[in-house]
Amino acid sequence: MNTLEAPQPTPQARFPSVTEWKAIVSEFQKPSLGRAVWQLVNTLVPYAALWYGIYLAFSVSWWLVIGLAMLAGALMVRVFIIFHDCGHGSFFKSRLANDITGFITGMLTFTPYYQWRWEHSLHHATTGDLDRRGIGDVWTMTVQEYLESSRWKRFAYKLARNPIVLFLIAPFVLFVLLQRIPNKRGDSREKWSVWYMNLALLGMVLGLSWVFGPVHYLIVQAIITGVAGVLGVWLFYIQHQFEDAYWEHHEEWDYTAAALQGSSFYKLPRVLQWFSGNIGFHHIHHLSSRIPNYHLERCHNSHPIFQQVKPITIRISLKSLAYRLWDEQHKKLVGYRRMREIRREKAASDAAKKQQESGDGTRGNGTSR
């Protein structure tokens, strides 16, 4: 495929001004105590019931234990969304209620509340900014950066973007290991939140190990963490890693475009939307993180301006596994094939240039004779 046949950038939709969208979303930024409490009940009670069911299932069948643990892992995603909303201060109106609930749900999800809240705020402030990558996002290189990288860096990048590493190994490393270490750039509150959470986790692990037995508990926790990690990382991946995503250099970066074009509308079946806490409406969430998850769908449906965001279905989302690099020329995420095409085009251009220079030299020599 030559350069003329390369895919052209998708025309950008007309996005509302900051004044326009702030007026639209304002009514959905108000937390509802009733909805918040009901979501806690219909999430944490079933989660606790599943742990009790697992305890009873050990005397029945290991297959039943595994099945219940996998279901608990799926429900853990919904627990994390509650934790996530508390971190944004949107789940409850009360800051204290958010902090207490955030710490408890953070313990269940093995995530230190204040450190995660700080790091995630940086993610919201830099999403889609090519000059501020590397904070709470999936490692993404441009095509040109990849071509100019050393062989070792290209290998590391391919390894990091490998689905087995990204969706199976990385979740364990992130939630079990990395979240136990304070971020050196954080303030004292963020750093201390890690140690407080580690202490709370130690108590939870010892208590459940005493109830279930250490081996049984570790197996169950590994299944729950594994399922939740795979689903959670996949959701996070598809939220910003799709073909027509948004990336711009800082001078041209626009917050509204980064939210509505750079964050996906992942249209899921109702049951999956429930388990994922409505986070598929990620374009709305990035537009205003003060909207609690239980208001996201209503906000999306409230105004025609949001209907221009093209939904991504499960079938379409699977294609995103092939996208690896940001093509600045065509404003798209592309696979390694596009990078190889550019290499071939460059090699052909260099060969043609060399041949032309050789021909010019031969004609020059003939003239001199």
Side-chain angles (χ1 to χ4, degrees):
M1 185 174 75
N2 58 42
T3 305
L4 295 177
E5 295 172 336
Q8 298 302 309
T10 303
Q12 290 191 359
R14 182 263 174 185
F15 295 118
S17 67
V18 174
T19 302
E20 286 176 322
W21 68 253
K22 281 189 174 182
I24 296 170
V25 306
S26 60
E27 67 175 289
F28 303 101
Q29 294 175 326
K30 302 171 184 176
S32 166
L33 179 61
R35 285 177 177 268
V37 171
W38 173 235
Q39 190 169 81
L40 280 176
V41 171
N42 66 32
T43 303
L44 297 185
V45 171
Y47 184 69
L50 283 169
W51 271 98
Y52 182 64
I54 291 169
Y55 175 79
L56 299 177
F58 274 112
S59 62
V60 179
S61 167
W62 265 101
W63 288 112
L64 182 58
V65 169
I66 293 172
L68 291 175
M70 292 181 68
L71 183 58
L75 193 57
M76 176 70 77
V77 177
R78 186 171 169 88
V79 175
F80 189 87
I81 297 303
I82 294 175
F83 163 83
H84 165 272
D85 277 12
C86 290
H88 283 294
S90 64
F91 195 69
F92 289 108
K93 184 178 181 180
S94 165
R95 180 173 182 175
L96 180 61
N98 280 317
D99 291 347
I100 293 174
T101 305
F103 183 87
I104 294 172
T105 51
M107 182 175 65
L108 297 177
T109 57
F110 284 59
T111 312
Y113 177 66
Y114 287 112
Q115 175 164 286
W116 180 89
R117 186 176 74 172
W118 166 66
E119 291 177 340
H120 193 63
S121 68
L122 297 178
H123 161 71
H124 271 259
T126 59
T127 295
D129 190 327
L130 283 170
D131 298 318
R132 295 192 290 170
R133 282 168 287 171
I135 304 174
D137 55 21
V138 177
W139 186 12
T140 305
M141 295 176 69
T142 67
V143 171
Q144 194 61 34
E145 287 171 344
Y146 185 88
L147 291 173
E148 295 173 355
S149 295
S150 66
R151 182 174 298 180
W152 166 247
K153 189 172 184 179
R154 292 198 299 270
F155 170 77
Y157 186 74
K158 283 188 174 182
L159 184 64
R161 302 277 303 204
N162 182 283
I164 294 176
V165 174
L166 186 59
F167 299 113
L168 295 180
I169 298 175
F172 276 103
V173 174
L174 174 62
F175 289 103
V176 178
L177 298 178
L178 296 183
Q179 296 286 20
R180 310 281 68 79
I181 305 171
N183 190 316
K184 294 180 180 179
R185 294 186 295 172
D187 292 335
S188 59
R189 182 174 66 172
E190 282 74 44
K191 292 176 181 177
W192 275 107
S193 76
V194 177
W195 298 121
Y196 290 145
M197 183 57 69
N198 290 347
L199 186 61
L201 283 174
L202 179 61
M204 183 182 76
V205 169
L206 290 176
L208 290 175
S209 295
W210 179 76
V211 173
F212 287 85
V215 175
H216 284 182
Y217 165 70
L218 289 176
I219 292 173
V220 171
Q221 188 65 70
I223 295 172
I224 292 175
T225 302
V227 171
V230 169
L231 296 176
V233 171
W234 168 253
L235 285 171
F236 184 76
Y237 177 85
I238 199 61
Q239 285 163 1
H240 302 287
Q241 298 283 317
F242 52 96
E243 185 177 18
D244 296 316
Y246 175 93
W247 288 95
E248 288 288 353
H249 286 285
H250 186 64
E251 297 78 11
E252 300 175 357
W253 182 82
D254 179 76
Y255 178 88
T256 303
L260 295 180
Q261 187 179 337
S263 304
S264 66
F265 168 27
Y266 198 16
K267 194 170 184 179
L268 295 169
R270 277 291 174 181
V271 63
L272 296 183
Q273 182 180 324
W274 185 88
F275 273 99
S276 61
N278 301 308
I279 203 62
F281 296 94
H282 209 61
H283 57 305
I284 301 296
H285 171 64
H286 263 262
L287 194 64
S288 174
S289 61
R290 299 293 296 180
I291 301 175
N293 76 84
Y294 45 78
H295 287 334
L296 289 175
E297 183 175 14
R298 290 177 54 238
C299 183
H300 171 80
N301 295 331
S302 69
H303 199 280
I305 203 75
F306 301 132
Q307 311 308 313
Q308 66 180 343
V309 178
K310 186 178 179 181
I312 296 177
T313 63
I314 293 178
R315 182 180 62 83
I316 293 174
S317 70
L318 295 177
K319 297 180 180 179
S320 294
L321 289 171
Y323 302 139
R324 298 287 188 268
L325 302 161
W326 177 251
D327 188 337
E328 291 190 78
Q329 181 183 359
H330 300 106
K331 305 293 185 182
K332 288 178 180 290
L333 278 173
V334 296
Y336 292 127
R337 192 173 88 174
R338 174 60 183 153
M339 175 268 300
R340 290 191 288 268
E341 289 170 352
I342 292 175
R343 277 179 170 165
R344 287 197 296 268
E345 291 168 6
K346 185 177 185 302
S349 176
D350 290 345
K353 184 177 179 181
K354 186 175 181 180
Q355 185 177 10
Q356 182 180 5
E357 291 174 349
S358 176
D360 291 343
T362 302
R363 286 193 295 273
N365 291 336
T367 303
S368 63
R369 289 195 300 267

